[in-house]
Amino acid sequence: MARQKNSVSDLAVFGGAPAFEDALHVGRPNIGDRARLMARFNKILDDRWLTNHGPFVREFEQRVADRLGVKHCVAMGNGTVALEIAIRALGMKGEVIVPSFTFVATVHALQWQAITPVFGDIAAGRHALDRSRLNR
């Protein structure tokens, strides 16, 4: 078990002991039960139904809806498309304030829906947008 980090110097990046024996990489998948995963892949390939409301997509949507306690869930191919659908569903128009430090897809999704992004900086110590620091 990793020991608690109490100061910046305790962090591995600054010379402290690593929290994990092997490096953890962002994006490295947790595969879990490989045989079960391969069985599901084989079922998908055997059925020749990879996407678009296939049985595994429907199962995923239902499980997410159940977990969140909502009636519906719609899986999207990526976050950009999900943002565009949400923007349309909300009927957004005009300008939208976004943090200056954001992924490019946030702004693309807005612009592709004819909405003008207005960049703002974060208020020090609050981790929230600071209205006085909007870039207009």
Side-chain angles (χ1 to χ4, degrees):
M1 181 151 88
R3 68 181 186 96
Q4 182 174 335
K5 309 292 182 165
N6 296 312
S7 69
V8 172
S9 62
D10 289 339
L11 299 174
V13 71
F14 295 114
F20 304 96
E21 190 173 312
D22 295 324
L24 296 178
H25 301 282
V26 174
R28 184 171 77 184
N30 175 3
I31 297 190
D33 183 343
R34 187 181 183 109
R36 184 166 182 255
L37 176 64
M38 293 310 295
R40 290 175 76 88
F41 282 157
N42 287 332
K43 173 91 170 104
I44 290 168
L45 295 173
D46 290 345
D47 290 350
R48 301 180 60 80
W49 199 344
L50 307 180
T51 61
N52 299 331
H53 206 57
F56 285 103
V57 173
R58 290 193 316 269
E59 177 188 348
F60 172 74
E61 291 172 340
Q62 188 60 56
R63 283 183 175 206
V64 171
D66 291 346
R67 171 103 180 181
L68 296 176
V70 297
K71 188 174 180 180
H72 300 286
C73 171
V74 179
M76 300 286 152
N78 59 57
T80 306
V81 171
L83 287 171
E84 288 188 66
I85 297 294
I87 289 164
R88 288 181 190 183
L90 292 169
M92 296 171 71
K93 300 202 181 313
E95 297 180 335
V96 172
I97 300 169
V98 295
S100 298
F101 187 61
T102 187
F103 188 66
V104 68
T106 308
V107 175
H108 285 165
L110 291 167
Q111 288 186 315
W112 292 334
Q113 301 305 312
I115 294 173
T116 303
V118 176
F119 293 99
D121 287 322
I122 304 300
R126 288 198 3 228
H127 308 291
L129 284 169
D130 183 345
R131 284 189 235 159
S132 69
R133 298 180 70 193
L134 296 179
N135 299 321
R136 290 185 170 236

